[in-house]
Amino acid sequence: MKSINAYGLSFVFVLMGIVFLSFYGLLYGDIDTDFQDLYLALAEYSDQDVNQVIIREIRLPRILMAIISGAALSIAGMLMQTLFQNPLAGPYVLGINSGSSLMVALGLLSGIGIFNSELGLIGSALVGAFIFGLFILFTASFLRNQIGLLLFGVMLGSFVSSIITILEVGSHAESLKAFSLWSMGSLNGVSIQQLPIICIVFVFTCFLTIFIVKPLNILVLGEEEVRLMGYDVKKLRILVVFVTAVFTGLITAFCGPIAFVGLAVPNLTRMLFKTQNHMLLLVANLLFGAFFLLGCDVVTILFSDTLIIPINALTSLIGAPFVIYILISKLR
Amino acid sequence: MINLKDIIIGFDKKLFSIDGISFEKGQVNVLTGKNGIGKSAFLLTLAGLNSTVKGMISLNEKALTSYSSKQLSSHIAYVNSSPKGVPFLSVDSYLFLGRSNYTNMFGKASETDLLEVEKAKTLFGIHHLSAKYTNELSSGELQLCAIAKAYVQQTDYILLDEPTSHLDYANKRKVYELLGKMANEHNKGIIISTHDLDLAFKFDFKFYLIQSKSLLLKQVKSFKDVEIEFDHQAK
């Protein structure tokens, strides 16, 4: 067993990276600010100062959302990969996001007021993600081929996006606008008032994950071993899908679809740390996921003078070649 | 003691029946019979993963079904016929998973857990594999590790489904020697299924045959009794 210190050291480095990127993201952008503005914005906020408003109302929510989204999607990806014993699994490629998108589209485009509220949005995204998660779980019980399952998820995504297109055509201008804005996917859409609820759900779900770490470690050896060690496999699978759905649904509700983070980061951490200890993997995915998406966000800031890159496009740009790399190295 | 009286084994449908047999600690019990007759079904039933078609198995004078699967896992360990190697799962971590019954709810290792893993590695002579990943082992090495993992579970009984099927002669002999050692020196009750009979009969094991004609599990004394059965099959 590798000493914990070796892991600890790399965790500290990534943590430092996260802190550095966070400060960068808070201080720089279209308008550059300094540490004094930052201090004032956090400690003695006045909405008369433009710099403070930018930091507190725009940058702080975005940076925190980058950290939370990266961490949540990466942990969700780790859970899916262990559940399906498939390195190609992830919340985006298996279509869990699509479930959220479909439910949010049905809600928003129906024009019924309650679905346009915050809770309505989260609720429909979570329910959609959970239903699609169970659907994938059911499909995986007879579709044993790893690449087959991936294809199934991608097809599910295409199917849902065509339904959404049809819904869009037939809907009112106002609800269409609300949905289009959401579906573009961005870390900018969250206001500071929404942050507490997001943080609470995120932290709660992380704690829930800690309690399934032990059976997940055994699940790596197959479901028979889990049963032999006295766990209820069915309950475990549904719990894993539930946790994944909460992570994915939460992020999809507020940021729209963000692709490939949940596939690339868990693979990266397994390769880097060479372990199947899910407690370590949980921490690693939390930190590396946050670092990865925060890094992507900073890249979009750097280019913001000349080009506004949607975050979803950037993660796909990095994530898709990574999937191809795994495919090729597995098929060989 | 595992007691079996008037029992029908099978997956929903009958495969074979047992009139009266018991397995005790400190003994290696070898189960044989033709392919598909129900050896694996029998071991799965003893492991609590399958139920009997008829009858009640008792473990230490209590019905096997009255144990929760968690309780059962501290009495009976099971090793299936082809243990699987997993990328990035080291032999140490693999063996450690056998301690799942003893670790806390987050699966943290205690001193005792680490000590037991060390003891098992010495007994099975697999110290040199400690840091290797399980998917990089040969099938012989993996089989030894799987048995070692069942050993660290510290159960009274260990069930092994064809533990020697993928091994070369030297490794087969090594596995049988180790099974004998676990029974004699560590007082384990061991139940295995196998087709490697000519080698197994060189050891001081107890033998059982599932007769294909009567579909009955019977104890056999010598290799000759088994040969009669297979002669019968050949006709």
Side-chain angles (χ1 to χ4, degrees), chain A residues 100 103-104 115 117-130 249 253:
Chain A
S100 301
M103 287 302 283
V104 171
F115 290 113
S117 72
E118 224 158 89
L119 280 176
L121 196 69
I122 306 179
S124 39
L126 291 194
V127 169
F130 191 54

Side-chain angles (χ1 to χ4, degrees), chain A residues 33-80:
Chain A
T33 55
D34 54 33
F35 277 102
Q36 201 191 344
D37 295 324
L38 180 61
Y39 172 77
L40 288 174
L42 296 178
E44 295 163 35
Y45 179 57
S46 127
D47 56 10
Q48 303 303 312
D49 186 303
V50 181
N51 284 4
Q52 286 184 38
V53 173
I54 288 174
I55 290 175
R56 193 180 169 105
E57 299 287 333
I58 298 173
R59 288 182 186 164
L60 185 66
R62 198 193 65 222
I63 295 298
L64 280 175
M65 272 325 278
I67 291 173
I68 293 176
S69 307
L73 293 173
S74 302
I75 297 170
M78 172 196 83
L79 292 171
M80 302 234 89

Side-chain angles (χ1 to χ4, degrees), chain B residues 9-24:
Chain B
I9 297 291
F11 298 113
D12 298 325
K13 270 198 239 147
K14 175 187 166 169
L15 285 165
F16 68 91
S17 47
I18 301 162
D19 283 346
I21 270 173
S22 57
F23 299 120
E24 280 167 38

